[in-house]
Amino acid sequence: AMSRDLLVFEQYIEGMLTALSAGQRRLFFSRLARELARVNATRMRANVSPDGQAFEPRKPQTRLRAKRGRVRAMFQKLPKSLKPSATESGLEISFSGRAAQIAEVHHYGKEDAPNRLRPTWRVRYPARELIGISELDQTLIVERIIEQVSTVKI
């Protein structure tokens, strides 16, 4: 249901944005991409998915360079690799470099080798939705579009 709702939402947005020129759309999408990247980064650092659910906590580690018994927060550095980008037809928020591989493993709950020294040791990670559009984000997007479109001289 979520993806169908998102499709209807996208079509609604497209209709509103036809009032803008290509340059205005690119600039608008660029600003919006940065804002959505910030929102997603904040959620990621808080270990919360876009729908507000707390991530499944990390398993207690035996030898992390942290105090014994303390479970470190996940995804504290990953948000730095979020790259917002925009064209006149839309926007994208993605990860760059090695972070993209790490993010994919966690976002979709894939298997990975967490230790370079033991490449045969594989771990299946629980799916933790790192990037997404929440209902609050949808409201924000519509507000930004209305602000943008209302300034356009017809």
PDB file of all heavy atoms in Angstrom, residues 91-126:
ATOM      1  N   LEU A  91      14.731  14.468  -7.450  1.00  0.00           N
ATOM      2  CA  LEU A  91      15.857  14.490  -6.530  1.00  0.00           C
ATOM      3  C   LEU A  91      16.183  13.077  -6.073  1.00  0.00           C
ATOM      4  O   LEU A  91      15.373  12.165  -6.224  1.00  0.00           O
ATOM      5  CB  LEU A  91      15.556  15.381  -5.320  1.00  0.00           C
ATOM      6  CG  LEU A  91      14.365  15.016  -4.422  1.00  0.00           C
ATOM      7  CD1 LEU A  91      14.771  14.053  -3.336  1.00  0.00           C
ATOM      8  CD2 LEU A  91      13.814  16.281  -3.797  1.00  0.00           C
ATOM      9  N   GLU A  92      17.379  12.923  -5.540  1.00  0.00           N
ATOM     10  CA  GLU A  92      17.826  11.621  -5.058  1.00  0.00           C
ATOM     11  C   GLU A  92      18.694  11.841  -3.830  1.00  0.00           C
ATOM     12  O   GLU A  92      19.461  12.796  -3.767  1.00  0.00           O
ATOM     13  CB  GLU A  92      18.642  10.929  -6.161  1.00  0.00           C
ATOM     14  CG  GLU A  92      19.160   9.564  -5.765  1.00  0.00           C
ATOM     15  CD  GLU A  92      19.942   8.907  -6.896  1.00  0.00           C
ATOM     16  OE1 GLU A  92      19.294   8.404  -7.828  1.00  0.00           O
ATOM     17  OE2 GLU A  92      21.181   8.924  -6.838  1.00  0.00           O
ATOM     18  N   ILE A  93      18.537  10.955  -2.857  1.00  0.00           N
ATOM     19  CA  ILE A  93      19.412  10.966  -1.693  1.00  0.00           C
ATOM     20  C   ILE A  93      20.041   9.586  -1.644  1.00  0.00           C
ATOM     21  O   ILE A  93      19.336   8.582  -1.549  1.00  0.00           O
ATOM     22  CB  ILE A  93      18.624  11.236  -0.400  1.00  0.00           C
ATOM     23  CG1 ILE A  93      17.921  12.589  -0.483  1.00  0.00           C
ATOM     24  CG2 ILE A  93      19.549  11.204   0.810  1.00  0.00           C
ATOM     25  CD1 ILE A  93      16.855  12.777   0.551  1.00  0.00           C
ATOM     26  N   SER A  94      21.358   9.522  -1.771  1.00  0.00           N
ATOM     27  CA  SER A  94      22.030   8.230  -1.796  1.00  0.00           C
ATOM     28  C   SER A  94      23.318   8.299  -0.988  1.00  0.00           C
ATOM     29  O   SER A  94      23.726   9.365  -0.532  1.00  0.00           O
ATOM     30  CB  SER A  94      22.329   7.831  -3.244  1.00  0.00           C
ATOM     31  OG  SER A  94      23.118   8.830  -3.860  1.00  0.00           O
ATOM     32  N   PHE A  95      23.947   7.146  -0.821  1.00  0.00           N
ATOM     33  CA  PHE A  95      25.215   7.083  -0.116  1.00  0.00           C
ATOM     34  C   PHE A  95      26.334   7.010  -1.133  1.00  0.00           C
ATOM     35  O   PHE A  95      26.155   6.495  -2.227  1.00  0.00           O
ATOM     36  CB  PHE A  95      25.273   5.834   0.770  1.00  0.00           C
ATOM     37  CG  PHE A  95      24.350   5.901   1.944  1.00  0.00           C
ATOM     38  CD1 PHE A  95      23.080   5.366   1.877  1.00  0.00           C
ATOM     39  CD2 PHE A  95      24.751   6.490   3.132  1.00  0.00           C
ATOM     40  CE1 PHE A  95      22.219   5.420   2.961  1.00  0.00           C
ATOM     41  CE2 PHE A  95      23.901   6.556   4.217  1.00  0.00           C
ATOM     42  CZ  PHE A  95      22.637   6.011   4.129  1.00  0.00           C
ATOM     43  N   SER A  96      27.514   7.498  -0.744  1.00  0.00           N
ATOM     44  CA  SER A  96      28.653   7.441  -1.651  1.00  0.00           C
ATOM     45  C   SER A  96      29.670   6.424  -1.154  1.00  0.00           C
ATOM     46  O   SER A  96      29.752   6.136   0.041  1.00  0.00           O
ATOM     47  CB  SER A  96      29.307   8.824  -1.737  1.00  0.00           C
ATOM     48  OG  SER A  96      29.752   9.214  -0.455  1.00  0.00           O
ATOM     49  N   GLY A  97      30.425   5.874  -2.088  1.00  0.00           N
ATOM     50  CA  GLY A  97      31.561   5.009  -1.760  1.00  0.00           C
ATOM     51  C   GLY A  97      31.227   3.761  -0.967  1.00  0.00           C
ATOM     52  O   GLY A  97      30.199   3.129  -1.158  1.00  0.00           O
ATOM     53  N   ARG A  98      32.138   3.409  -0.069  1.00  0.00           N
ATOM     54  CA  ARG A  98      32.012   2.209   0.762  1.00  0.00           C
ATOM     55  C   ARG A  98      30.733   2.271   1.605  1.00  0.00           C
ATOM     56  O   ARG A  98      30.102   1.251   1.875  1.00  0.00           O
ATOM     57  CB  ARG A  98      33.258   2.085   1.653  1.00  0.00           C
ATOM     58  CG  ARG A  98      33.198   1.009   2.729  1.00  0.00           C
ATOM     59  CD  ARG A  98      33.434  -0.386   2.176  1.00  0.00           C
ATOM     60  NE  ARG A  98      33.396  -1.373   3.258  1.00  0.00           N
ATOM     61  CZ  ARG A  98      32.465  -2.324   3.358  1.00  0.00           C
ATOM     62  NH1 ARG A  98      31.517  -2.437   2.455  1.00  0.00           N
ATOM     63  NH2 ARG A  98      32.488  -3.175   4.358  1.00  0.00           N
ATOM     64  N   ALA A  99      30.339   3.478   1.988  1.00  0.00           N
ATOM     65  CA  ALA A  99      29.134   3.651   2.799  1.00  0.00           C
ATOM     66  C   ALA A  99      27.909   3.113   2.075  1.00  0.00           C
ATOM     67  O   ALA A  99      26.982   2.605   2.709  1.00  0.00           O
ATOM     68  CB  ALA A  99      28.936   5.125   3.135  1.00  0.00           C
ATOM     69  N   ALA A 100      27.893   3.201   0.739  1.00  0.00           N
ATOM     70  CA  ALA A 100      26.760   2.705  -0.037  1.00  0.00           C
ATOM     71  C   ALA A 100      26.598   1.199   0.153  1.00  0.00           C
ATOM     72  O   ALA A 100      25.482   0.696   0.283  1.00  0.00           O
ATOM     73  CB  ALA A 100      26.934   3.042  -1.512  1.00  0.00           C
ATOM     74  N   GLN A 101      27.732   0.479   0.184  1.00  0.00           N
ATOM     75  CA  GLN A 101      27.677  -0.978   0.386  1.00  0.00           C
ATOM     76  C   GLN A 101      27.186  -1.306   1.791  1.00  0.00           C
ATOM     77  O   GLN A 101      26.344  -2.176   1.980  1.00  0.00           O
ATOM     78  CB  GLN A 101      29.064  -1.594   0.180  1.00  0.00           C
ATOM     79  CG  GLN A 101      29.591  -1.451  -1.233  1.00  0.00           C
ATOM     80  CD  GLN A 101      31.079  -1.742  -1.311  1.00  0.00           C
ATOM     81  OE1 GLN A 101      31.890  -1.064  -0.666  1.00  0.00           O
ATOM     82  NE2 GLN A 101      31.441  -2.741  -2.089  1.00  0.00           N
ATOM     83  N   ILE A 102      27.709  -0.595   2.779  1.00  0.00           N
ATOM     84  CA  ILE A 102      27.305  -0.812   4.178  1.00  0.00           C
ATOM     85  C   ILE A 102      25.818  -0.509   4.327  1.00  0.00           C
ATOM     86  O   ILE A 102      25.067  -1.288   4.915  1.00  0.00           O
ATOM     87  CB  ILE A 102      28.139   0.087   5.124  1.00  0.00           C
ATOM     88  CG1 ILE A 102      29.612  -0.349   5.109  1.00  0.00           C
ATOM     89  CG2 ILE A 102      27.577   0.051   6.547  1.00  0.00           C
ATOM     90  CD1 ILE A 102      30.553   0.629   5.774  1.00  0.00           C
ATOM     91  N   ALA A 103      25.386   0.622   3.765  1.00  0.00           N
ATOM     92  CA  ALA A 103      23.989   1.030   3.873  1.00  0.00           C
ATOM     93  C   ALA A 103      23.064   0.009   3.223  1.00  0.00           C
ATOM     94  O   ALA A 103      22.012  -0.320   3.774  1.00  0.00           O
ATOM     95  CB  ALA A 103      23.796   2.397   3.218  1.00  0.00           C
ATOM     96  N   GLU A 104      23.472  -0.518   2.073  1.00  0.00           N
ATOM     97  CA  GLU A 104      22.635  -1.505   1.372  1.00  0.00           C
ATOM     98  C   GLU A 104      22.446  -2.756   2.225  1.00  0.00           C
ATOM     99  O   GLU A 104      21.332  -3.278   2.338  1.00  0.00           O
ATOM    100  CB  GLU A 104      23.269  -1.872   0.025  1.00  0.00           C
ATOM    101  CG  GLU A 104      22.378  -2.772  -0.800  1.00  0.00           C
ATOM    102  CD  GLU A 104      22.984  -3.177  -2.141  1.00  0.00           C
ATOM    103  OE1 GLU A 104      24.070  -2.676  -2.500  1.00  0.00           O
ATOM    104  OE2 GLU A 104      22.365  -4.008  -2.809  1.00  0.00           O
ATOM    105  N   VAL A 105      23.518  -3.220   2.839  1.00  0.00           N
ATOM    106  CA  VAL A 105      23.448  -4.409   3.702  1.00  0.00           C
ATOM    107  C   VAL A 105      22.443  -4.185   4.835  1.00  0.00           C
ATOM    108  O   VAL A 105      21.598  -5.035   5.107  1.00  0.00           O
ATOM    109  CB  VAL A 105      24.844  -4.754   4.283  1.00  0.00           C
ATOM    110  CG1 VAL A 105      24.737  -5.764   5.414  1.00  0.00           C
ATOM    111  CG2 VAL A 105      25.747  -5.282   3.180  1.00  0.00           C
ATOM    112  N   HIS A 106      22.520  -3.035   5.475  1.00  0.00           N
ATOM    113  CA  HIS A 106      21.649  -2.770   6.624  1.00  0.00           C
ATOM    114  C   HIS A 106      20.214  -2.429   6.212  1.00  0.00           C
ATOM    115  O   HIS A 106      19.263  -2.869   6.850  1.00  0.00           O
ATOM    116  CB  HIS A 106      22.240  -1.652   7.489  1.00  0.00           C
ATOM    117  CG  HIS A 106      23.444  -2.098   8.234  1.00  0.00           C
ATOM    118  ND1 HIS A 106      23.362  -2.786   9.420  1.00  0.00           N
ATOM    119  CD2 HIS A 106      24.773  -1.997   7.953  1.00  0.00           C
ATOM    120  CE1 HIS A 106      24.587  -3.075   9.843  1.00  0.00           C
ATOM    121  NE2 HIS A 106      25.454  -2.607   8.975  1.00  0.00           N
ATOM    122  N   HIS A 107      20.068  -1.637   5.145  1.00  0.00           N
ATOM    123  CA  HIS A 107      18.740  -1.211   4.702  1.00  0.00           C
ATOM    124  C   HIS A 107      17.886  -2.418   4.301  1.00  0.00           C
ATOM    125  O   HIS A 107      16.719  -2.497   4.660  1.00  0.00           O
ATOM    126  CB  HIS A 107      18.871  -0.243   3.524  1.00  0.00           C
ATOM    127  CG  HIS A 107      17.588   0.390   3.109  1.00  0.00           C
ATOM    128  ND1 HIS A 107      17.103   1.531   3.695  1.00  0.00           N
ATOM    129  CD2 HIS A 107      16.675   0.044   2.162  1.00  0.00           C
ATOM    130  CE1 HIS A 107      15.954   1.867   3.129  1.00  0.00           C
ATOM    131  NE2 HIS A 107      15.670   0.976   2.201  1.00  0.00           N
ATOM    132  N   TYR A 108      18.493  -3.346   3.554  1.00  0.00           N
ATOM    133  CA  TYR A 108      17.730  -4.492   3.049  1.00  0.00           C
ATOM    134  C   TYR A 108      17.891  -5.753   3.886  1.00  0.00           C
ATOM    135  O   TYR A 108      17.287  -6.779   3.578  1.00  0.00           O
ATOM    136  CB  TYR A 108      18.119  -4.787   1.591  1.00  0.00           C
ATOM    137  CG  TYR A 108      17.764  -3.650   0.661  1.00  0.00           C
ATOM    138  CD1 TYR A 108      18.754  -2.833   0.130  1.00  0.00           C
ATOM    139  CD2 TYR A 108      16.442  -3.379   0.346  1.00  0.00           C
ATOM    140  CE1 TYR A 108      18.428  -1.776  -0.716  1.00  0.00           C
ATOM    141  CE2 TYR A 108      16.101  -2.323  -0.494  1.00  0.00           C
ATOM    142  CZ  TYR A 108      17.111  -1.535  -1.019  1.00  0.00           C
ATOM    143  OH  TYR A 108      16.774  -0.485  -1.836  1.00  0.00           O
ATOM    144  N   GLY A 109      18.732  -5.706   4.934  1.00  0.00           N
ATOM    145  CA  GLY A 109      18.932  -6.882   5.772  1.00  0.00           C
ATOM    146  C   GLY A 109      19.662  -7.995   5.045  1.00  0.00           C
ATOM    147  O   GLY A 109      19.220  -9.138   5.021  1.00  0.00           O
ATOM    148  N   LYS A 110      20.784  -7.658   4.428  1.00  0.00           N
ATOM    149  CA  LYS A 110      21.560  -8.639   3.671  1.00  0.00           C
ATOM    150  C   LYS A 110      22.647  -9.261   4.534  1.00  0.00           C
ATOM    151  O   LYS A 110      22.802  -8.941   5.699  1.00  0.00           O
ATOM    152  CB  LYS A 110      22.188  -7.974   2.445  1.00  0.00           C
ATOM    153  CG  LYS A 110      21.172  -7.541   1.407  1.00  0.00           C
ATOM    154  CD  LYS A 110      21.856  -6.965   0.205  1.00  0.00           C
ATOM    155  CE  LYS A 110      20.874  -6.755  -0.932  1.00  0.00           C
ATOM    156  NZ  LYS A 110      21.548  -6.232  -2.119  1.00  0.00           N
ATOM    157  N   GLU A 111      23.439 -10.124   3.892  1.00  0.00           N
ATOM    158  CA  GLU A 111      24.547 -10.808   4.567  1.00  0.00           C
ATOM    159  C   GLU A 111      25.844 -10.089   4.212  1.00  0.00           C
ATOM    160  O   GLU A 111      25.994  -9.589   3.105  1.00  0.00           O
ATOM    161  CB  GLU A 111      24.592 -12.249   4.050  1.00  0.00           C
ATOM    162  CG  GLU A 111      25.190 -13.218   5.019  1.00  0.00           C
ATOM    163  CD  GLU A 111      25.118 -14.642   4.480  1.00  0.00           C
ATOM    164  OE1 GLU A 111      25.917 -14.972   3.577  1.00  0.00           O
ATOM    165  OE2 GLU A 111      24.279 -15.406   4.971  1.00  0.00           O
ATOM    166  N   ASP A 112      26.782 -10.044   5.155  1.00  0.00           N
ATOM    167  CA  ASP A 112      28.056  -9.386   4.892  1.00  0.00           C
ATOM    168  C   ASP A 112      29.131 -10.025   5.751  1.00  0.00           C
ATOM    169  O   ASP A 112      28.839 -10.737   6.714  1.00  0.00           O
ATOM    170  CB  ASP A 112      27.951  -7.893   5.216  1.00  0.00           C
ATOM    171  CG  ASP A 112      29.095  -7.076   4.623  1.00  0.00           C
ATOM    172  OD1 ASP A 112      29.801  -7.593   3.730  1.00  0.00           O
ATOM    173  OD2 ASP A 112      29.272  -5.916   5.025  1.00  0.00           O
ATOM    174  N   ALA A 113      30.391  -9.760   5.391  1.00  0.00           N
ATOM    175  CA  ALA A 113      31.528 -10.221   6.187  1.00  0.00           C
ATOM    176  C   ALA A 113      32.017  -9.026   6.992  1.00  0.00           C
ATOM    177  O   ALA A 113      32.657  -8.132   6.446  1.00  0.00           O
ATOM    178  CB  ALA A 113      32.634 -10.739   5.283  1.00  0.00           C
ATOM    179  N   PRO A 114      31.696  -8.968   8.294  1.00  0.00           N
ATOM    180  CA  PRO A 114      32.030  -7.776   9.075  1.00  0.00           C
ATOM    181  C   PRO A 114      33.513  -7.657   9.426  1.00  0.00           C
ATOM    182  O   PRO A 114      33.970  -6.590   9.823  1.00  0.00           O
ATOM    183  CB  PRO A 114      31.199  -7.941  10.340  1.00  0.00           C
ATOM    184  CG  PRO A 114      30.984  -9.407  10.467  1.00  0.00           C
ATOM    185  CD  PRO A 114      30.962  -9.956   9.073  1.00  0.00           C
ATOM    186  N   ASN A 115      34.261  -8.734   9.275  1.00  0.00           N
ATOM    187  CA  ASN A 115      35.669  -8.711   9.671  1.00  0.00           C
ATOM    188  C   ASN A 115      36.555  -9.018   8.465  1.00  0.00           C
ATOM    189  O   ASN A 115      36.516 -10.117   7.920  1.00  0.00           O
ATOM    190  CB  ASN A 115      35.890  -9.753  10.790  1.00  0.00           C
ATOM    191  CG  ASN A 115      37.257  -9.648  11.423  1.00  0.00           C
ATOM    192  OD1 ASN A 115      38.208  -9.205  10.784  1.00  0.00           O
ATOM    193  ND2 ASN A 115      37.349 -10.063  12.672  1.00  0.00           N
ATOM    194  N   ARG A 116      37.360  -8.039   8.054  1.00  0.00           N
ATOM    195  CA  ARG A 116      38.232  -8.219   6.883  1.00  0.00           C
ATOM    196  C   ARG A 116      39.226  -9.352   7.087  1.00  0.00           C
ATOM    197  O   ARG A 116      39.669  -9.978   6.139  1.00  0.00           O
ATOM    198  CB  ARG A 116      38.995  -6.924   6.598  1.00  0.00           C
ATOM    199  CG  ARG A 116      38.163  -5.880   5.881  1.00  0.00           C
ATOM    200  CD  ARG A 116      39.034  -4.745   5.424  1.00  0.00           C
ATOM    201  NE  ARG A 116      39.799  -4.180   6.533  1.00  0.00           N
ATOM    202  CZ  ARG A 116      39.491  -3.050   7.156  1.00  0.00           C
ATOM    203  NH1 ARG A 116      38.446  -2.364   6.781  1.00  0.00           N
ATOM    204  NH2 ARG A 116      40.217  -2.607   8.155  1.00  0.00           N
ATOM    205  N   LEU A 117      39.597  -9.600   8.348  1.00  0.00           N
ATOM    206  CA  LEU A 117      40.590 -10.644   8.620  1.00  0.00           C
ATOM    207  C   LEU A 117      39.985 -12.041   8.551  1.00  0.00           C
ATOM    208  O   LEU A 117      40.700 -13.026   8.427  1.00  0.00           O
ATOM    209  CB  LEU A 117      41.217 -10.422  10.009  1.00  0.00           C
ATOM    210  CG  LEU A 117      41.872  -9.053  10.222  1.00  0.00           C
ATOM    211  CD1 LEU A 117      42.335  -8.900  11.661  1.00  0.00           C
ATOM    212  CD2 LEU A 117      43.029  -8.860   9.262  1.00  0.00           C
ATOM    213  N   ARG A 118      38.645 -12.108   8.643  1.00  0.00           N
ATOM    214  CA  ARG A 118      37.965 -13.406   8.537  1.00  0.00           C
ATOM    215  C   ARG A 118      36.870 -13.307   7.474  1.00  0.00           C
ATOM    216  O   ARG A 118      35.684 -13.284   7.780  1.00  0.00           O
ATOM    217  CB  ARG A 118      37.350 -13.793   9.884  1.00  0.00           C
ATOM    218  CG  ARG A 118      38.387 -14.115  10.945  1.00  0.00           C
ATOM    219  CD  ARG A 118      37.761 -14.267  12.316  1.00  0.00           C
ATOM    220  NE  ARG A 118      36.745 -15.323  12.347  1.00  0.00           N
ATOM    221  CZ  ARG A 118      35.852 -15.453  13.331  1.00  0.00           C
ATOM    222  NH1 ARG A 118      35.846 -14.589  14.335  1.00  0.00           N
ATOM    223  NH2 ARG A 118      34.977 -16.418  13.310  1.00  0.00           N
ATOM    224  N   PRO A 119      37.267 -13.241   6.178  1.00  0.00           N
ATOM    225  CA  PRO A 119      36.293 -13.007   5.105  1.00  0.00           C
ATOM    226  C   PRO A 119      35.254 -14.117   4.944  1.00  0.00           C
ATOM    227  O   PRO A 119      34.211 -13.902   4.340  1.00  0.00           O
ATOM    228  CB  PRO A 119      37.150 -12.878   3.846  1.00  0.00           C
ATOM    229  CG  PRO A 119      38.473 -13.417   4.198  1.00  0.00           C
ATOM    230  CD  PRO A 119      38.634 -13.333   5.680  1.00  0.00           C
ATOM    231  N   THR A 120      35.539 -15.315   5.476  1.00  0.00           N
ATOM    232  CA  THR A 120      34.574 -16.413   5.346  1.00  0.00           C
ATOM    233  C   THR A 120      33.474 -16.321   6.397  1.00  0.00           C
ATOM    234  O   THR A 120      32.449 -16.981   6.280  1.00  0.00           O
ATOM    235  CB  THR A 120      35.267 -17.783   5.476  1.00  0.00           C
ATOM    236  OG1 THR A 120      35.974 -17.819   6.721  1.00  0.00           O
ATOM    237  CG2 THR A 120      36.237 -18.017   4.323  1.00  0.00           C
ATOM    238  N   TRP A 121      33.696 -15.518   7.425  1.00  0.00           N
ATOM    239  CA  TRP A 121      32.700 -15.362   8.492  1.00  0.00           C
ATOM    240  C   TRP A 121      31.632 -14.392   8.014  1.00  0.00           C
ATOM    241  O   TRP A 121      31.897 -13.223   7.776  1.00  0.00           O
ATOM    242  CB  TRP A 121      33.395 -14.855   9.761  1.00  0.00           C
ATOM    243  CG  TRP A 121      32.478 -14.628  10.912  1.00  0.00           C
ATOM    244  CD1 TRP A 121      31.502 -15.468  11.360  1.00  0.00           C
ATOM    245  CD2 TRP A 121      32.435 -13.471  11.760  1.00  0.00           C
ATOM    246  NE1 TRP A 121      30.867 -14.918  12.439  1.00  0.00           N
ATOM    247  CE2 TRP A 121      31.417 -13.691  12.716  1.00  0.00           C
ATOM    248  CE3 TRP A 121      33.155 -12.291  11.822  1.00  0.00           C
ATOM    249  CZ2 TRP A 121      31.099 -12.773  13.699  1.00  0.00           C
ATOM    250  CZ3 TRP A 121      32.845 -11.369  12.800  1.00  0.00           C
ATOM    251  CH2 TRP A 121      31.830 -11.613  13.736  1.00  0.00           C
ATOM    252  N   ARG A 122      30.413 -14.902   7.816  1.00  0.00           N
ATOM    253  CA  ARG A 122      29.313 -14.098   7.283  1.00  0.00           C
ATOM    254  C   ARG A 122      28.271 -13.837   8.366  1.00  0.00           C
ATOM    255  O   ARG A 122      28.020 -14.697   9.201  1.00  0.00           O
ATOM    256  CB  ARG A 122      28.621 -14.819   6.111  1.00  0.00           C
ATOM    257  CG  ARG A 122      29.559 -15.354   5.057  1.00  0.00           C
ATOM    258  CD  ARG A 122      30.154 -14.293   4.179  1.00  0.00           C
ATOM    259  NE  ARG A 122      29.146 -13.660   3.327  1.00  0.00           N
ATOM    260  CZ  ARG A 122      29.392 -12.622   2.554  1.00  0.00           C
ATOM    261  NH1 ARG A 122      30.588 -12.077   2.528  1.00  0.00           N
ATOM    262  NH2 ARG A 122      28.450 -12.098   1.812  1.00  0.00           N
ATOM    263  N   VAL A 123      27.677 -12.655   8.307  1.00  0.00           N
ATOM    264  CA  VAL A 123      26.642 -12.302   9.278  1.00  0.00           C
ATOM    265  C   VAL A 123      25.441 -11.769   8.503  1.00  0.00           C
ATOM    266  O   VAL A 123      25.597 -10.959   7.595  1.00  0.00           O
ATOM    267  CB  VAL A 123      27.147 -11.207  10.257  1.00  0.00           C
ATOM    268  CG1 VAL A 123      26.017 -10.685  11.127  1.00  0.00           C
ATOM    269  CG2 VAL A 123      28.275 -11.741  11.107  1.00  0.00           C
ATOM    270  N   ARG A 124      24.231 -12.242   8.845  1.00  0.00           N
ATOM    271  CA  ARG A 124      23.021 -11.674   8.253  1.00  0.00           C
ATOM    272  C   ARG A 124      22.539 -10.570   9.182  1.00  0.00           C
ATOM    273  O   ARG A 124      22.286 -10.796  10.349  1.00  0.00           O
ATOM    274  CB  ARG A 124      21.920 -12.719   8.075  1.00  0.00           C
ATOM    275  CG  ARG A 124      20.631 -12.056   7.588  1.00  0.00           C
ATOM    276  CD  ARG A 124      19.658 -12.956   6.878  1.00  0.00           C
ATOM    277  NE  ARG A 124      20.135 -13.631   5.685  1.00  0.00           N
ATOM    278  CZ  ARG A 124      20.213 -13.076   4.468  1.00  0.00           C
ATOM    279  NH1 ARG A 124      19.908 -11.802   4.298  1.00  0.00           N
ATOM    280  NH2 ARG A 124      20.601 -13.779   3.442  1.00  0.00           N
ATOM    281  N   TYR A 125      22.451  -9.364   8.633  1.00  0.00           N
ATOM    282  CA  TYR A 125      22.011  -8.212   9.424  1.00  0.00           C
ATOM    283  C   TYR A 125      20.499  -8.052   9.329  1.00  0.00           C
ATOM    284  O   TYR A 125      19.926  -8.312   8.276  1.00  0.00           O
ATOM    285  CB  TYR A 125      22.700  -6.935   8.915  1.00  0.00           C
ATOM    286  CG  TYR A 125      24.165  -6.903   9.242  1.00  0.00           C
ATOM    287  CD1 TYR A 125      25.104  -7.459   8.382  1.00  0.00           C
ATOM    288  CD2 TYR A 125      24.618  -6.364  10.439  1.00  0.00           C
ATOM    289  CE1 TYR A 125      26.452  -7.458   8.699  1.00  0.00           C
ATOM    290  CE2 TYR A 125      25.959  -6.353  10.755  1.00  0.00           C
ATOM    291  CZ  TYR A 125      26.874  -6.902   9.883  1.00  0.00           C
ATOM    292  OH  TYR A 125      28.199  -6.901  10.201  1.00  0.00           O
ATOM    293  N   PRO A 126      19.851  -7.603  10.411  1.00  0.00           N
ATOM    294  CA  PRO A 126      18.413  -7.324  10.312  1.00  0.00           C
ATOM    295  C   PRO A 126      18.193  -6.103   9.422  1.00  0.00           C
ATOM    296  O   PRO A 126      19.049  -5.224   9.362  1.00  0.00           O
ATOM    297  CB  PRO A 126      17.991  -7.034  11.755  1.00  0.00           C
ATOM    298  CG  PRO A 126      19.241  -6.758  12.510  1.00  0.00           C
ATOM    299  CD  PRO A 126      20.382  -7.369  11.758  1.00  0.00           C
TER     300      PRO A 126
END
